[in-house]
Amino acid sequence: MSFRRPTFLTSVLTLVCLAIMLSLGGWQLERREWKANLLATIAAQLEALPQPLPAKPAAEWEFRRVIVEGEVVGNQWFRFPGHSRNNAVGELLMLLIQRPDGKLVAVEHGWLPFGAPSPPLPMALATEGILRQPPKPGWFTPANDVAHNAWYVANPAAMAVAANLPAANALPLYLKPRDWQPNLPNDH
């Protein structure tokens, strides 16, 4: 068996590939540390006692437990089709609460199987939940269909407009139920 000595080009390509693999490995280690810190921050936010929602919550308020109370406005459920629970497909229900300061808060309030009649809207609501920023729609996420009340991404300002309320009064964050748990795997 004869062994050929590598050419100059082969040696350079090997060194370039080695440098790329080492930098990607370092990037993965940095990302693992970033993700562990993120998960620790979220866990601390979720374990803290609920606080009243401020008039202008900053982005750091995401994943905090908050208390919201106010009058239910808009006279409609906002329906988010295509969600499943216990092997049944249905839709999430959200509504808008107007706080005493006039700010509107979108609140995820329940789930219905498809075809079930809508529950009556409450007149007022005082609830505890977890504050979230609406997710950005993915490439395959349909656009919200306001005319048919089919929402695929929470958009509190658009929900306010659909309910004939001023979009400027809607807070950019929305409320998940208090028993909601984030699903953020750390598989690095």
Side-chain angles (χ1 to χ4, degrees):
M1 178 169 173
S2 89
F3 176 73
R4 256 182 34 182
R5 189 175 187 118
T7 64
F8 176 75
L9 180 61
T10 307
S11 299
V12 169
L13 286 176
T14 301
L15 289 174
V16 168
C17 288
L18 181 62
I20 289 171
M21 286 188 283
L22 287 173
S23 66
L24 287 173
W27 172 75
Q28 278 290 338
L29 291 174
E30 289 172 12
R31 183 165 164 76
R32 182 182 70 171
E33 185 177 332
W34 168 83
K35 187 73 174 261
N37 290 337
L38 174 67
L39 292 173
T41 301
I42 290 171
Q45 298 277 60
L46 290 173
E47 290 174 10
L49 292 174
Q51 300 174 4
L53 181 61
K56 292 183 179 178
E60 300 85 48
W61 276 76
E62 186 173 21
F63 294 108
R64 281 203 188 165
R65 292 189 180 280
V66 296
I67 300 168
V68 176
E69 57 184 72
E71 177 185 346
V72 175
V73 294
N75 296 323
Q76 69 177 3
W77 289 108
F78 296 92
R79 297 173 171 272
F80 290 75
H83 292 268
S84 62
R85 294 226 174 123
N86 300 327
N87 297 323
V89 178
E91 49 196 7
L92 289 177
L93 298 177
M94 289 183 81
L95 48 77
L96 289 173
I97 295 177
Q98 186 170 31
R99 299 182 337 170
D101 65 0
K103 294 292 184 185
L104 299 170
V105 181
V107 176
E108 186 179 310
H109 192 63
W111 178 86
L112 281 178
F114 278 131
S118 296
L121 276 170
M123 298 295 288
L125 192 63
T127 188
E128 174 190 325
I130 300 166
L131 209 54
R132 289 298 323 268
Q133 288 189 23
K136 292 183 172 77
W139 286 32
F140 300 107
T141 304
N144 289 335
D145 185 356
V146 178
H148 295 100
N149 195 21
W151 299 79
Y152 300 96
V153 176
N155 183 338
M159 293 163 72
V161 169
N164 296 317
L165 299 165
N169 288 357
L171 292 177
L173 304 168
Y174 73 103
L175 208 62
K176 297 287 277 179
R178 72 174 145 211
D179 60 351
W180 176 81
Q181 289 294 317
N183 182 15
L184 301 169
N186 191 11
D187 50 7
H188 285 86

